[in-house]
Structures are given as structure tokens and as C-alpha cells.
Amino acid sequence: MKNLFHTNTKIIGLLGHPIKHSFSPFIHNLACQILELDYVYLPLDVMSSSLKNALKGIVALNIKGFNVTIPHKEKMLSYVHQSSEEATICGAVNTVVNDMGKLYGYNTDVYGILETLLPYKDEIINNEVTLFGAGGAARSVIYTLARHFRPSRINIVNRTEQRAETLKEYFNEKMKYDNFMAYELFPHGLLEVLRGSKLIINATSVGMYPEIDDTIISLSNAFQKDQIVFDLVYNPPKSQLLKIAESEGAVTLNGIKMLVYQGAKSFELWTGQEMPVDKVMTGLENYISI
Ligand code: NAP
């Protein structure tokens, strides 16, 4: 990678803690390199106790924008001057634009999920979806489904059932969409729920590197030929869950497209340029498989 920064090189970055396993620096610096943009994307490893000071520093240093990750996504909502509808309803900001000291918050995960699922829109509308997880990513999934796909029902399954219940009530009120069911992990009868679902989504961290042999669904014959199984996990690209789903005939989608497209939207907000997503996706796939 060409590494020639100038006195007017613009700084963007990733704010979170820990961030050492993130692929975002790779994605954005590759895109800048391909487009020959004079930007550099830096890791900004900041703990919760330093968040407020870090934001003052970002403004003082005229850092143009940044991604936000664990554990600051929810907190960031209260620090931005304005937030998009997606960020406000999802309750999480993953992208901030610094416009001369005014911070604008966005949630581009929604865009990544939308791009991943759009090719299957006709199959999702008016059919059932089962979602595993009730954390930040699950919120973005629910928002996207309720806003853009209107499935006949969204079954939210979570280890801590109360969190699934909370999401059900929250989105019911916020989005005027009341076709939710909340379940704990694997109660009696969940197999039937899975078999009745056109789309199954894993938005838990189960199966993510380094725990690559774990899977959130270990029931046999849970999947079918006409089902779509979307695992938000992107490392490994083919999770244990996707391996099983594929062996049972389902169409499988990993989290790489979501990751690149959420990055593409952030990139556009900062630079005004379209990310060369195909080249970045190929580069990322090669990078992850090394
Ligand atoms: P989070 O807010 O920490 O939520 C984690 C979720 O996973 C919770 O629902 C949690 O259940 C569940 N969980 C964790 N360990 C579990 C276990 N051992 N058994 C069962 N459930 C378990 O995390 P997040 O930000 O939503 O991220 C979730 C996943 O999505 C991660 O793998 C992340 O990398 C991925 N992600 C991908 C993209 C992408 O672009 N592809 C973007 C964002 C996130 P409890 O509520 O019971 O704790």
C-alpha cells in the first residue's frame, strides 16, 4: 500500500475498545488507495472512561469522521448533535461525520443488511423470519426487516429471553409493526418455528473467530432447501452454522457483504465518493483467508 501522507491528508478512523481485530482499517484504506483519495483511516482505541475527552480531541484535530464500535455505539447517540432515523430508532450510532465541530450520527449497518437481503425481497415479504440475538446487530436487523421487508412475523430468539421481549415491545411501539414473537434459546417447538421460516438470521456472536466450531443452531434437520440462512458473522466467511445449513440445502449468506456495504455507506458520508465495493470485497476475502 502506498503510504504517502501529506500536510492536507484527511483523517478518518474507528473508535472503540478493543479494536485490534477489526477489518475496517483494511477496508477503508484499500478503498482510499484504489480511488487515490488523500485520506487515512486510523484505529482510535478509546476506553469508555475516555470517550468524552476523545470526542473533544477528534473535533480539535479536525478528524473528518469515524466509525463507532463496541462499547460506544449506544452511548454515542447522546454525544452527537443530530442522528439519522436509523440510528435513533436502532438506538446505536456506528458512523459519525464531523462537520466543523458538529457531529452527525448514522447507523449504516442497516444499509449493509438491506444490500445483503434485497436480492431475496420477494421471498421475505409476507413470510416468517427467525432471528437469533437481541444485541446491537439484532436491532439493526429488526429495523431493516420491519422498514423494508414487512415479513409476516419476526421470531426473536435469544439466550436471555427478557432482551428478546424488550426488543419486541420496543419495535412494536417505534415502528408500528406488531408481528413479533419472543423466545428463549431452544424451547420445545422451536424446530417447527425454524421449519416455518423462510429466512433464518444469526445476529449473535456465536461462531465468530476464534470459537469457529460453535453454532447457535445445533439441531439436526433444522434447515430446508427453500430457506435462506444469513449469518452476520464474517470471520470465518463460512461459519459452522452456514456449513450445516448448506449441507441441508439452504441458500447461505455470510456477513462479508454487510460489512463492506455498511463501510461503503460510511465512506460515502465522509468522502462523498462511492466505494469500489467489488474490488474491496475481493481484497477483504483474500485478506481474511490468509
Ligand atoms: P452484542 O450486542 O454483544 O450482542 C450479542 C448477542 O449474542 C446477544 O444476543 C447475546 O445473547 C448473544 N450471545 C453471545 N454469546 C452467546 C452464547 N454463547 N450463546 C447464545 N447467545 C450468545 O453484539 P452485536 O454487536 O449485536 O454483534 C453480534 C454479532 O454480529 C457479532 O458476531 C458481530 O461480529 C456481528 N456483526 C456483524 C456485522 C457485519 O457487518 N457483518 C456488523 C455488526 C455485527 P444475550 O443477550 O443472552 O447475552
Side-chain angles (χ1 to χ4, degrees), residues 70 109 133-137 158-160 163 185 203-206 208 216 232-234 255 258-259 262:
I70 288 171
D109 281 341
N158 198 45
R159 177 177 62 179
T160 314
R163 290 186 83 193
L185 263 185
T204 74
S205 39
V206 178
M208 190 85 183
I216 193 73
L232 268 64
V233 167
Y234 46 81
M258 173 180 168
L259 181 67
Q262 63 78 26

Side-chain angles (χ1 to χ4, degrees), residues 11 13 15 38 42 74 80 100 105 113 116 118 123 139 146 153 159 175 189 195 204 239 245 250-251 280 287:
I11 303 172
L15 187 71
D38 200 3
L42 299 175
E74 291 81 15
V80 294
M100 312 231 276
I113 295 162
T116 306
L118 262 184
E123 285 133 285
R139 283 173 168 266
R153 186 191 291 166
R159 177 177 62 179
M175 302 200 69
R195 289 195 177 139
T204 74
S239 63
V251 172
V280 170
Y287 182 68

Side-chain angles (χ1 to χ4, degrees), residues 27 69-70 73-74 94 108-109 112-113 116 132-141 156-164 167 185-186 202-209 214-216 230-235 254-263:
I27 290 173
T69 188
I70 288 171
K73 278 184 170 185
E74 291 81 15
N94 81 329
T108 68
D109 281 341
I113 295 162
T116 306
F132 286 82
R139 283 173 168 266
S140 302
V141 168
I156 310 170
V157 187
N158 198 45
R159 177 177 62 179
T160 314
E161 192 184 0
Q162 186 50 48
R163 290 186 83 193
L167 284 198
L185 263 185
F186 298 110
N202 174 38
T204 74
S205 39
V206 178
M208 190 85 183
Y209 178 86
D214 291 353
T215 166
I216 193 73
F230 173 25
D231 193 344
L232 268 64
V233 167
Y234 46 81
N235 186 18
N254 67 20
I256 291 183
K257 190 169 178 184
M258 173 180 168
L259 181 67
V260 172
Y261 274 89
Q262 63 78 26

Side-chain angles (χ1 to χ4, degrees), residues 9-15 24-25 27-32 37-44 58 61-67 95-98 263 266-272 275:
T9 298
K10 296 181 186 72
I11 303 172
I12 46 183
L14 171 64
L15 187 71
S24 292
I27 290 173
H28 290 282
N29 286 320
L30 177 60
C32 291
L37 295 183
D38 200 3
Y39 281 78
V40 60
Y41 187 101
L42 299 175
L44 307 169
I58 281 171
L61 292 167
N62 197 21
I63 290 176
K64 296 294 173 197
F66 52 95
N67 282 129
T95 302
V96 175
V97 173
N98 172 18
S266 308
F267 187 82
E268 204 179 314
L269 287 164
W270 300 321
T271 67
M275 182 183 273

Side-chain angles (χ1 to χ4, degrees), residues 15-233:
L15 187 71
H17 177 80
I19 53 174
K20 65 175 180 216
H21 294 300
S22 172
F23 292 122
S24 292
F26 177 86
I27 290 173
H28 290 282
N29 286 320
L30 177 60
C32 291
Q33 187 197 13
I34 294 169
L35 296 177
E36 297 184 4
L37 295 183
D38 200 3
Y39 281 78
V40 60
Y41 187 101
L42 299 175
L44 307 169
D45 194 333
V46 170
M47 289 196 289
S48 295
S49 54
S50 304
L51 182 60
K52 206 170 170 183
N53 280 338
L55 292 174
K56 283 185 190 157
I58 281 171
V59 170
L61 292 167
N62 197 21
I63 290 176
K64 296 294 173 197
F66 52 95
N67 282 129
V68 186
T69 188
I70 288 171
H72 308 315
K73 278 184 170 185
E74 291 81 15
K75 199 82 208 267
M76 194 55 62
L77 253 189
S78 59
Y79 285 116
V80 294
H81 296 92
Q82 216 172 300
S83 53
S84 68
E85 182 199 291
E86 290 89 343
T88 310
I89 296 184
C90 293
V93 167
N94 81 329
T95 302
V96 175
V97 173
N98 172 18
D99 185 6
M100 312 231 276
K102 281 216 153 203
L103 301 181
Y104 294 89
Y106 300 86
N107 185 316
T108 68
D109 281 341
V110 166
Y111 183 72
I113 295 162
L114 183 61
E115 282 296 316
T116 306
L117 293 180
L118 262 184
Y120 306 94
K121 187 164 186 171
D122 291 345
E123 285 133 285
I124 299 169
I125 290 176
N126 291 328
N127 274 312
E128 254 182 65
V129 176
T130 296
L131 165 69
F132 286 82
R139 283 173 168 266
S140 302
V141 168
I142 294 172
Y143 175 91
T144 313
L145 289 171
R147 168 70 73 236
H148 299 282
F149 296 89
R150 308 298 287 185
S152 59
R153 186 191 291 166
I154 302 174
N155 306 302
I156 310 170
V157 187
N158 198 45
R159 177 177 62 179
T160 314
E161 192 184 0
Q162 186 50 48
R163 290 186 83 193
E165 284 287 349
T166 303
L167 284 198
K168 174 183 147 176
E169 280 155 29
Y170 176 83
F171 280 96
N172 196 340
E173 189 200 316
K174 289 278 176 198
M175 302 200 69
K176 308 285 172 249
Y177 175 88
D178 59 3
N179 302 322
F180 290 109
M181 291 289 285
Y183 295 92
E184 62 179 328
L185 263 185
F186 298 110
H188 186 67
L190 191 64
L191 194 56
E192 275 60 50
V193 173
L194 289 178
R195 289 195 177 139
S197 300
K198 189 74 197 174
L199 170 66
I200 297 170
I201 302 178
N202 174 38
T204 74
S205 39
V206 178
M208 190 85 183
Y209 178 86
E211 315 297 341
I212 60 171
D213 293 327
D214 291 353
T215 166
I216 193 73
I217 306 170
S218 45
L219 298 168
S220 51
N221 300 317
F223 307 104
Q224 300 166 71
K225 264 201 168 23
D226 57 351
Q227 270 177 336
I228 303 153
V229 179
F230 173 25
D231 193 344
L232 268 64
V233 167

